[in-house]
Amino acid sequence: MHTELPKQCPWSRLSRPSGHGNHKENSPFLNSSEAGKGGDYYDRNLALFEEELDIRPKVSSLLGKLVNYTNLTQGVKEHEEAESTDGSKKKVSKSPSMGTLMGVYLPCMQNIFGVILFLRLTWMVGMAGVLQSFLIVLLCCCCTMLTTISMSAIATNGVVPAGGSYFMISRSLGPEFGGAVGLCFYLGTTFAGAMYILGAIEILLTYIVPQAAIFHPSGAHDASSAMLNNMRVYGTVFLILMAVVVFVGVKYVNKFASLFLACVVISILSIYAGAIKSIFDPPEFPICMLGNRTLSRDHFDVCAKTVVKDNITVASKLWELFCHSTNLTTEHCDEYFLMNNVSEIAGIPGAASGILIDNLWSNYLEKGEILERAHQPSVDVASQKNNLHLYVLSDISTSFMVLVGIFFPSVTGIMAGSNRSGDLKDAQKSIPVGTILAIVTTSLVYFSCVLLFGACIEGVVLRDKYGDAVNKNLVVGTLSWPSPWVIVIGSFFSTCGAGLQSLTGAPRLLQAIAKDNIIPFLWIFGHGKANGEPTWALLLTALIAELGILIASLDMVAPILSMFFLMCYLFVNLACAVQTLLRTPNWRPRFKYYHWALSFLGMSICLALMFISSWYYALVAMLIAGMIYKYIEYQGAEKEWGDGIRGLSLSAARYALLRLEEGPPHTKNWRPQLLVLLKLDEDLHVKYPRLLTFASQLKAGKGLTIIGSVIQGNFLETYGEAQAAEQTIKNMMEIEKVKGFCQVVVANKVREGIAHLIQSCGLGGMKHNTVVLGWPYGWRQSEDPRSWKTFIGTVRCTTAAHLALLVPKNVSFYPSNHERYNEGNIDVWWIVHDGGMLMLLPFLLKQHKVWRKCKMRIFTVAQMDDNSIQMKKDLATFLYQLRIEAEVEVVEMHNSDISAYTYERTLMMEQRSQMLRQMRLTKTEREREAQLVKDRHSIARLESLYSDEEDEGDPVPENIQMTWTKEKCEAEKRNRGSAVGSFRDLISIKPNQSNVRRMHTAVKLNEVIVNRSHDARLVLLNMPGPPKNTDGDENYMEFLEVLTEGLERVLLVRGGGREVITIYS
């Protein structure tokens, strides 16, 4: 019973809270007390949207959530848990408070200025000259500046979570690139830690406490190996100490950061102060020259061949070293020593001396060459090899390329600001401004230092890497004011600080990558101490850094980390360029001064620098990144981050589809693009999964495969079922290794759904050209004609659409992907030519490992008037030109009389179809069956994909009430009488002559095929088309059954009306 509700205002249908039953509405309006309840009623102005407010929240509630945004790492479980937990349980997070200066500018400065500036810049200027040094600095600084512009665009395109560069790249370029670049950046940072530690040890052992060395050179020539061993021992000790400091507490590292930065600033200021002072008062650092060769000052005190002692001229220490005698005899003297004078020149002539002109040009040396002064007078004679240790020698071969690799680490560190994005008050403003200012500042410092070094310091001193010519002083230190120790101590502490920063940052980066779970085997490194400190990641970082320390040479480690950083910067530029060119809707950076051309230029410079500095390291770095990329693509977790590469794929796919649209494929490019029509049972499981197996074997991962299925019903009601069916099919496709797409259509009638699939699957030029259809098993036994009618309807649809058709019969006997046929034949029965599909299919199947060892045999049928010998020759030639290897056989079919068996089969077939037709025509029977059919439909609505819920006649009323009257009883008797009469007609039926001929063909062909191919692994034969007159459909099914009787695996093939194989190249 329905009681009529009082009429109400149309907008007064207030939403009822879910789970409270039927809330009775007393009044169409909210009273003040109800309105105050907040959660129970929605805003009356949003009544139109009230039913969807749970999935489409009000703007006010959305903004409220955004305000409470926490700076947690994106993609990690903690973030999701923090959002899902109740707001009252959340800890009050400390709001980020850092500005541009403290948060970005100074950290970037500290990271950029490093060990290379103090230990190698003077040497670089000496070797490359001022002009080429300018070029090196310009190249490296342009690279970082262009990368910063790209990075600023990415960093200001939305909220950058804590985690910086890795998150920017991975969310812009996707998990594969993100993982590859993240690990490259991690390895770069780790090797940077090793480089800083080696720099600190070099300063300690060469300039602060040389006597602390454990290994001492036993001879003149093994000084370098002793030094490397010292570096290894002390480097390992330092690394352990630093790792312990980082493990105990990062807060100590952060507390000392400002102290380390102060050391750097004071050191740089002392260089400028020294350069200014050198104009009017250059410091006293004399160099001893023998001819034009530079002598190492640590072996002697007085720069002269003889000294006067008590008014007596005696041999100096220098004479003893070269002549191996304290007497002034010359018989054992070095010839070069005798022929050339010893002179002393100023190591630092000062900025006013004009030395800059001499230092403009490059002076590259090979390993072991003596440092010579160009304009110094000398007599060039051979020197004794055992005296080489007395000169200052070049310890490595140098070139422009080598110096680029060594210098580049001194411009890295631009990511320091973006790595702290979680602590910044306004990251979108601070990151671009702070980073660009830091790069401009550091670039100016580098340019000015190159100029000052070239203008103030003698060339041979510049080329003296370890300060051997100036009493083992740090070369930069000789220029600084007030004392060389300012720079020595300052650079030592700054390198230690930078090492600690690297060992702090690298494990966090690895932890972030591990927590994203894109590289499964790294999961262990996502865990740490209770407070989140990455213990395991720190351990791995220390082990990798130890590898760098075991290399022991700063000049060897620098190019390695250059590669990894350049790789990272290359991808930052790529990310920006891709996003800009694709114009993705979400690409709306606040930083406007970027352009895709700048990003491409930055990318090109990065790539060029990689190959300039060391082509083999570049290849190794790219190989590592490529392997990580492929591993993540193959093994990694599926992530959808809305990345640019996905956008790029869409763009490329669109472009390719538009290109394909230009015309149909050439015969040479034709390959079967499959639409596989699958049948699902009532539990939505795939009924014949071997159809998928067959499709995967035929395709071997190439071309297009669409798996289609039809669910009967109303789309609005069965949408959920369709989604479930699609997921089931996708899972089955994964199991059977079918690479393709899945499409499930909901239709009122299955036949209509199949027609829709055949018409609309695919897109543009990527459409199917072949339909794979299952055989309707048990059609003879079934009283329901719909399954075979759907089958024949589908055959007609494919013919009308000019598509090829494959019908695998007995598909459950087909081999799985794990089986292997080591022998056997694939037999092709080529009865009529319809495009060459029969030739192409076995060739494609044989590409798969299941069928690879099978041999191909082609049989063709010759009539009485055909020349079978000539046919065999022609067929062999044709196959040779097709480049298909197969045995050829011509089977002669003699014109024999129609046998009694054929006649009998035809008669039985026609009697059966006539009987079924009459059964269907009996109206009373239909009415009685109607309710049964309806019940059966509700139980087995998915019994057959190829069944249809349609009836040829009038629709049946839903409820049939039989009321027997006299008239009806008489009519029923008459009907029964006519049924008996028609049954008598069945017995006296004469078979149709065309049917007899067709049956004769089927029987004769079947005899020949079974005789020759009964043991074949697979038999392919032409599928005859359905009759034009639909009355003969049942007979058509019978013909197909007779044709394929007694064969284990049959593939019926019907061409699409075009040539698919050609003899031309």
Side-chain angles (χ1 to χ4, degrees), residues 500-530:
L500 278 172
Q501 292 279 7
S502 297
L503 288 179
T504 309
R508 274 163 183 67
L509 185 61
L510 184 63
Q511 188 180 35
I513 297 168
K515 282 189 174 176
D516 261 349
N517 195 30
I518 53 171
I519 304 173
F521 69 81
L522 289 181
W523 66 271
I524 184 74
F525 300 110
H527 304 297
K529 290 196 286 189

Side-chain angles (χ1 to χ4, degrees), residues 185-397:
F185 194 50
Y186 163 73
L187 290 170
T189 312
T190 307
F191 274 107
M195 185 189 77
Y196 289 129
I197 291 170
L198 288 173
I201 303 301
E202 189 176 305
I203 295 166
L204 182 75
L205 292 181
T206 313
Y207 309 115
I208 300 179
V209 276
Q211 58 273 23
I214 299 168
F215 299 93
H216 298 282
S218 53
H221 304 294
D222 62 348
S224 62
S225 61
M227 180 66 179
L228 292 181
N229 287 332
N230 284 322
M231 300 274 269
R232 290 183 181 111
V233 173
Y234 277 99
T236 306
V237 172
F238 261 57
L239 177 65
I240 292 165
L241 286 172
M242 285 185 180
V244 167
V245 169
V246 172
F247 179 75
V248 168
V250 180
K251 55 177 186 251
Y252 300 116
V253 179
N254 293 334
K255 275 181 184 173
F256 285 114
S258 50
L259 171 68
F260 296 139
L261 181 62
C263 289
V264 175
V265 173
I266 291 166
S267 301
I268 290 168
L269 289 176
S270 76
I271 295 171
Y272 286 115
I276 294 163
K277 179 179 172 288
S278 75
I279 297 170
F280 47 85
D281 183 17
E284 283 290 323
F285 280 102
I287 309 164
C288 192
M289 305 292 292
L290 176 60
N292 65 351
R293 296 179 180 179
T294 315
L295 292 170
S296 179
R297 205 61 196 257
D298 57 343
H299 299 293
F300 57 92
D301 303 322
V302 181
C303 182
K305 289 186 179 181
T306 57
V307 288
V308 178
K309 261 189 189 176
D310 304 330
N311 292 329
I312 302 166
T313 304
V314 293
S316 66
K317 180 72 176 167
L318 197 59
W319 186 284
E320 284 181 37
L321 291 167
F322 276 100
C323 296
H324 312 293
S325 164
T326 51
N327 303 324
L328 289 171
T329 54
T330 58
E331 56 191 58
H332 298 295
C333 277
D334 188 313
E335 195 177 346
Y336 188 86
F337 178 71
L338 292 174
M339 300 292 288
N340 287 282
N341 295 323
V342 173
S343 58
E344 228 176 16
I345 57 167
I348 298 171
S353 64
I355 196 81
L356 180 64
I357 306 297
D358 294 339
N359 289 336
L360 279 178
W361 312 110
S362 63
N363 199 337
Y364 296 118
L365 299 174
E366 291 298 315
K367 184 176 181 179
E369 270 191 65
I370 300 168
L371 271 61
E372 296 178 348
R373 190 165 185 254
H375 306 299
Q376 195 81 0
S378 75
V379 179
D380 195 14
V381 289
S383 175
Q384 290 177 10
K385 282 198 173 180
N386 57 354
N387 290 331
L388 282 177
H389 69 282
L390 301 172
Y391 300 108
V392 181
L393 304 174
S394 170
D395 67 332
I396 61 167
S397 298

Side-chain angles (χ1 to χ4, degrees), residues 416-601:
S418 63
N419 287 346
R420 293 161 180 255
S421 53
D423 303 326
L424 298 172
K425 197 184 294 177
D426 182 1
Q428 298 196 1
K429 181 188 165 195
S430 297
I431 289 174
V433 174
T435 312
I436 289 171
L437 278 176
I439 287 180
V440 169
T441 310
T442 51
S443 301
L444 288 173
V445 168
Y446 285 134
F447 281 124
S448 58
C449 281
V450 167
L451 193 63
L452 290 175
F453 294 158
C456 298
I457 305 174
E458 174 59 52
V460 284
V461 180
L462 286 174
R463 288 191 286 283
D464 181 6
K465 191 188 282 186
Y466 301 111
D468 291 329
V470 282
N471 297 329
K472 285 282 183 185
N473 273 307
L474 181 61
V475 176
V476 189
T478 58
L479 180 64
S480 64
W481 179 86
S483 160
W485 285 100
V486 174
I487 287 228
V488 172
I489 301 299
S491 60
F492 177 73
F493 279 117
S494 73
T495 45
C496 287
L500 278 172
Q501 292 279 7
S502 297
L503 288 179
T504 309
R508 274 163 183 67
L509 185 61
L510 184 63
Q511 188 180 35
I513 297 168
K515 282 189 174 176
D516 261 349
N517 195 30
I518 53 171
I519 304 173
F521 69 81
L522 289 181
W523 66 271
I524 184 74
F525 300 110
H527 304 297
K529 290 196 286 189
N531 62 351
E533 287 298 311
T535 316
W536 290 106
L538 176 64
L539 188 65
L540 182 69
T541 305
L543 288 172
I544 295 171
E546 177 61 23
L547 291 177
I549 283 165
L550 291 176
I551 295 171
S553 166
L554 188 72
D555 304 316
M556 295 291 283
V557 174
I560 296 173
L561 71 109
S562 294
M563 284 311 128
F564 289 122
F565 278 121
L566 280 165
M567 200 77 162
C568 181
Y569 297 166
L570 186 145
F571 281 113
V572 171
N573 285 305
L574 177 68
C576 180
V578 164
Q579 299 273 37
T580 311
L581 286 173
L582 288 177
R583 294 191 184 91
T584 43
N586 190 48
W587 181 246
R588 304 185 294 276
R590 286 187 182 280
F591 179 79
K592 299 296 180 194
Y593 309 102
Y594 67 93
H595 193 270
W596 64 265
L598 289 176
S599 299
F600 267 116
L601 182 62

Side-chain angles (χ1 to χ4, degrees), residues 639-900:
K639 298 280 177 185
E640 180 46 76
W641 287 332
D643 51 82
I645 292 297
R646 190 173 174 79
L648 191 63
S649 304
L650 282 169
S651 197
R654 176 182 157 275
Y655 173 75
L657 282 169
L658 288 171
R659 286 288 304 275
L660 278 175
E661 192 77 331
E662 289 172 8
H666 190 273
T667 307
K668 286 188 285 189
N669 298 331
W670 197 95
R671 64 161 64 244
Q673 317 287 15
L674 301 183
L675 167 62
V676 183
L677 294 173
L678 271 195
K679 188 173 182 178
L680 302 176
D681 61 19
E682 56 268 19
D683 297 326
L684 299 181
H685 292 140
V686 178
K687 204 161 186 183
Y688 300 114
R690 283 292 158 88
L691 270 176
L692 288 175
T693 316
F694 172 69
S696 76
Q697 289 167 9
L698 186 62
K699 300 298 289 176
K702 304 285 191 302
L704 174 74
T705 308
I706 303 171
I707 310 297
S709 191
V710 179
I711 286 185
Q712 199 172 337
N714 184 338
F715 179 69
L716 296 175
E717 292 166 10
T718 49
Y719 175 69
E721 265 178 57
Q723 294 289 92
E726 196 166 314
Q727 197 52 52
T728 305
I729 292 172
K730 279 181 179 170
N731 293 343
M732 188 56 73
M733 285 168 73
E734 207 168 303
I735 292 165
E736 295 295 343
K737 294 186 171 59
V738 177
K739 289 185 172 68
F741 309 99
C742 171
Q743 193 156 353
V744 175
V745 169
V746 178
N748 288 327
K749 295 176 181 175
V750 174
R751 204 183 300 176
E752 280 178 16
I754 290 175
H756 294 327
L757 281 172
I758 288 171
Q759 289 175 76
S760 61
C761 272
L763 183 64
M766 276 295 269
K767 287 184 79 73
H768 56 277
N769 55 27
T770 307
V771 176
V772 179
L773 182 64
W775 179 260
Y777 301 101
W779 67 273
R780 278 175 174 160
Q781 290 76 29
S782 171
E783 290 178 15
D784 183 6
R786 291 168 310 180
S787 64
W788 58 261
K789 284 200 170 180
T790 306
F791 174 80
I792 296 173
T794 308
V795 174
R796 285 199 173 99
C797 278
T798 54
T799 308
H802 299 292
L803 301 175
L805 177 68
L806 306 179
V807 180
K809 198 159 177 276
N810 303 334
V811 76
S812 49
F813 295 123
Y814 275 56
S816 71
N817 282 328
H818 305 296
E819 290 178 49
R820 299 283 181 282
Y821 285 152
N822 292 322
E823 55 185 8
N825 298 312
I826 299 176
D827 284 0
V828 176
W829 283 84
W830 192 19
I831 298 156
V832 290
H833 178 64
D834 56 357
M837 276 282 281
L838 283 168
M839 312 291 166
L840 191 60
L841 291 173
F843 171 76
L844 293 173
L845 275 176
K846 282 182 60 153
Q847 307 301 307
H848 196 275
K849 54 195 170 189
V850 172
W851 304 92
R852 190 165 291 151
K853 293 188 178 174
C854 289
K855 288 178 181 169
M856 186 171 154
R857 295 192 303 185
I858 295 185
F859 296 91
T860 189
V861 175
Q863 301 301 323
M864 283 297 289
D865 51 349
D866 293 327
N867 182 344
S868 55
I869 298 168
Q870 188 59 40
M871 269 180 80
K872 187 169 183 177
K873 278 183 186 173
D874 293 346
L875 183 55
T877 310
F878 179 60
L879 286 176
Y880 176 76
Q881 288 171 337
L882 284 177
R883 288 95 59 208
I884 288 177
E885 288 179 23
E887 285 179 37
V888 176
E889 287 196 39
V890 176
V891 178
E892 293 181 356
M893 281 186 72
H894 301 290
N895 283 346
S896 59
D897 294 335
I898 292 167
S899 65

Side-chain angles (χ1 to χ4, degrees), residues 1028-1045:
K1028 290 187 174 68
N1029 183 1
T1030 54
D1031 291 343
D1033 283 359
E1034 269 173 292
N1035 302 341
Y1036 172 68
M1037 292 299 294
E1038 191 68 43
F1039 295 143
L1040 291 181
E1041 283 282 12
V1042 170
L1043 187 61
T1044 56
E1045 231 168 26

